[in-house]
Amino acid sequence: MNDTYTDLERSTEPLWYAIHTRSRHEKVVRDQFAAKEITHLLPLHHKRSKWKDRIKVIEVPLFGGYIFAHFALQNKLQVLQTVGVVRLVGLNGTAEPVPDEQIETIRKMVDHDLPYDPHPYLKEGMRVRVVRGPLQGAEGMLVEKKKNYRFVISIDLIQKAVAVDIDSADVEPLR
């Protein structure tokens, strides 16, 4: 065995990993994972889509470009050889597991049909712009993330987040 492998790569314990997919291939990857009997999670949300002649509600991935899978890292080749998979998400070329609590929270949110929408990834210290209310257009720094009407679930590894409930947040991150 190669000495450059980390203990995590040798591990036989299945963990949750974020998988980056080709653009618009999340459902293709999901279907292939199901056929390969790889435990996976692809949370979807309903989005209104407007064409020239009609408006239709479609299901799209909550975290565009990503799907989650539960497997032992030593079995990563089976995942990486799936059509549409680009890479395992991690740091410095090493896959990082997604905490079980974050996956479980997303699962509960979806399973209980709570109203949810994609939400910008926000963290304390981030520069933001107020998008609603009397201070609309003002720019500043997000010092506190307390939200009385929103609960934001962040997936730190892929820097994506989702907000439960439909009350809108008052800030957006500056680009």
Coordinates of all heavy atoms in Angstrom, one line a residue, residues 23 32-33 64 91 151:
S23 N -22.0 19.9 -14.8 CA -23.2 20.8 -14.8 C -24.4 20.0 -15.2 O -24.4 19.3 -16.2 CB -22.9 22.0 -15.7 OG -24.0 22.8 -15.8
Q32 N -27.3 6.6 -11.2 CA -26.3 5.6 -11.3 C -25.9 5.1 -9.9 O -25.6 4.0 -9.7 CB -25.1 6.2 -12.0 CG -25.3 6.5 -13.5 CD -24.1 7.1 -14.1 OE1 -23.1 6.4 -14.4 NE2 -24.2 8.4 -14.4
F33 N -25.8 6.0 -8.9 CA -25.6 5.6 -7.5 C -26.6 4.6 -7.1 O -26.3 3.6 -6.4 CB -25.5 6.8 -6.6 CG -24.2 7.6 -6.6 CD1 -24.1 8.8 -5.9 CD2 -23.1 7.2 -7.4 CE1 -22.9 9.5 -5.9 CE2 -22.0 8.0 -7.4 CZ -21.9 9.1 -6.7
G64 N -26.9 23.0 -6.4 CA -26.5 22.8 -7.8 C -25.0 22.4 -8.0 O -24.1 23.0 -7.4
L91 N -10.0 19.3 0.7 CA -8.9 20.3 0.8 C -7.6 19.7 0.3 O -7.3 18.5 0.7 CB -8.8 20.8 2.2 CG -10.1 21.4 2.9 CD1 -9.9 21.6 4.3 CD2 -10.4 22.6 2.1
F151 N -33.9 29.8 9.6 CA -32.9 28.9 10.1 C -32.0 28.5 8.9 O -32.5 27.9 8.0 CB -33.5 27.7 10.7 CG -32.6 26.7 11.3 CD1 -31.7 27.0 12.3 CD2 -32.5 25.4 10.7 CE1 -30.8 26.1 12.8 CE2 -31.6 24.5 11.2 CZ -30.7 24.8 12.2

